[in-house]
Amino acid sequence: MANAALFIATVLIWGTTWIAIAMQVSVFYRFAVAAVILVAILAAMRRLKLPALRDQPFILAQALCLFSLNFICFYNAAASIPSGLISVIFSLATIYNAVNARLFFGDRITGRTLLAAALGATGLLLLFGQDVVVDFDMGTLKGIGFAALGTLFFSLGNMASRRNSAVGISPLTANAWGMTYGAIVLLFLIAVTRTPIVAPPDITYLAAMLYLAAIGSVIGFTTYLMLVSRIGSSRAAYATVLFPIVALSLSTVFEGYHWSGLGLIGLALTLLGNVVIFARPLARRLPQSDARLPAGG
C-alpha cells in the first residue's frame, strides 16, 4: 500500500510540473530553493548528516544526473522539438533503467518490462498525435539527441540513487546534498555561459518557482527515489509514462483540451502498460500447491 501511495504521489506531483521546463536560471532557482528547504528541514529534525567521503562521488553523480545536466538537456531539446515528442522519449526511461540496472547491478531484463515500455511509448505516440510528427532536419535531430541524453542522465541518476540507498544513505539526505551540489553546478554553468541572473519578475513566477522547489523537487524527487529503492528502478520509471497523462488531464480541465479517438486509445494503452508492469506473476498469486502444477495440469 505504501508503494502505491508513493507511486501515485510521484505521478500526480510530476504530472503537474512536466510542462514547467524553463531556462536554466529558473532551474537554478528551483534547486537552490529546494536545497535550502530540505537542508533546513533535516537540520531542524537533527537528521542532517554529511555523507562519508567515499560516498561523495555518488552524491555528486546524483546531483549532476538528476538536478542539473538532465534539465539543461531537456531545456535545449524543448527549443527544437515539441514537448509531446520529448514526453515520448522520456517515457523510454523504463528501458534505460532496465538496461542500466543490468549493467550496474546485474538485474535481469524481463519481457514484462519491455512490453510495458512498448505499450507506454505507443500510447504516448497516439496521445500526442501530430505533435510528434516533425521534419527530420538537423535541428530536430539535435532536439531528439538532447532529449535522449537528458533521459540517459535521468536514468544514471536513478542508478546513483539506488547505490546510495543500498549503502544506507536515505533519499532525503542524498537529495539535500545532491540538490545543493546541483545548484552549485548550475550556478557555475550560468557564470561560464554569462547568462544573466534576473530576479523573479512577478508573483506568478515566484509562486510557480516555489511550487517546483517545495512540491516538485523536495517531495517529488523524494517519493520517486524512495520508489526506486523499494520496487526497483525499472518499475519506478514507469511513472514517466503517466506524467503526460496527468498534464493532459489538467489541460482538459483548465485549458479546454479535447481528447481524440486516437488519444483515448493511447490512454488505454498506457494504462494497460501500467497493469503489465505492476501485476504480480501468476505463480505468486496461485496457492503454493496450485503453483507447482505442471503446465496443462
Side-chain angles (χ1 to χ4, degrees), residues 117-188:
L119 288 170
T122 303
L124 289 182
L125 281 171
L126 294 177
L127 269 171
F128 288 102
Q130 293 298 317
D131 200 24
V132 299
V133 178
V134 293
D135 296 323
F136 282 92
D137 54 19
M138 287 305 298
T140 298
L141 293 176
K142 179 180 177 182
I144 292 173
F146 271 120
L149 182 59
T151 306
L152 175 60
F153 278 133
F154 174 81
S155 177
L156 292 175
N158 283 212
M159 300 304 109
S161 174
R162 177 173 168 179
R163 180 269 172 195
N164 292 333
S165 294
V167 298
I169 303 173
S170 73
L172 279 173
T173 298
N175 284 350
W177 294 109
M179 289 177 186
T180 300
Y181 297 165
I184 293 172
V185 169
L186 289 167
L187 186 60
F188 172 77

Side-chain angles (χ1 to χ4, degrees), residues 32-280:
V33 173
V36 170
I37 293 173
L38 200 44
V39 167
I41 290 174
L42 290 177
M45 298 172 62
R46 298 183 179 180
R47 293 177 56 187
L48 183 62
K49 299 178 181 178
L50 182 64
L53 185 61
R54 66 178 180 275
D55 298 320
Q56 289 295 329
F58 298 97
I59 299 293
L60 179 59
Q62 185 171 328
L64 290 172
C65 294
L66 288 182
F67 308 131
S68 54
L69 298 183
N70 60 324
F71 279 91
I72 293 175
C73 287
F74 289 127
Y75 164 72
N76 282 281
S80 303
I81 59 177
S83 61
L85 182 53
I86 296 176
S87 296
V88 173
I89 296 171
F90 188 49
S91 74
L92 299 178
T94 305
I95 295 179
Y96 277 68
N97 275 8
V99 172
N100 282 326
R102 174 65 179 177
L103 293 175
F104 291 104
F105 300 102
D107 291 0
R108 185 169 63 92
I109 300 176
T110 65
R112 173 190 297 194
T113 297
L114 298 178
L115 176 59
L119 288 170
T122 303
L124 289 182
L125 281 171
L126 294 177
L127 269 171
F128 288 102
Q130 293 298 317
D131 200 24
V132 299
V133 178
V134 293
D135 296 323
F136 282 92
D137 54 19
M138 287 305 298
T140 298
L141 293 176
K142 179 180 177 182
I144 292 173
F146 271 120
L149 182 59
T151 306
L152 175 60
F153 278 133
F154 174 81
S155 177
L156 292 175
N158 283 212
M159 300 304 109
S161 174
R162 177 173 168 179
R163 180 269 172 195
N164 292 333
S165 294
V167 298
I169 303 173
S170 73
L172 279 173
T173 298
N175 284 350
W177 294 109
M179 289 177 186
T180 300
Y181 297 165
I184 293 172
V185 169
L186 289 167
L187 186 60
F188 172 77
L189 293 175
I190 288 170
V192 169
T193 58
R194 298 182 179 180
T195 303
I197 298 180
V198 296
D202 52 45
I203 191 64
T204 301
Y205 179 98
L206 183 61
M209 184 267 291
L210 289 174
Y211 177 81
L212 287 173
I215 307 300
S217 299
V218 173
I219 299 178
F221 272 102
T222 299
T223 57
Y224 176 75
L225 294 179
M226 286 176 66
L227 269 178
V228 170
S229 66
R230 291 169 68 99
I231 68 174
S233 50
S234 298
R235 298 174 76 194
Y238 200 78
T240 62
V241 177
L242 301 181
F243 301 156
I245 294 177
V246 174
L248 288 180
S249 299
L250 291 174
S251 181
T252 301
V253 175
F254 297 107
E255 299 175 340
Y257 174 80
H258 296 289
W259 293 77
S260 65
L262 285 178
L264 291 174
I265 294 174
L267 174 62
L269 287 178
T270 56
L271 295 179
L272 178 59
N274 192 74
V275 172
V276 169
I277 197 98
F278 289 109
R280 290 183 298 170

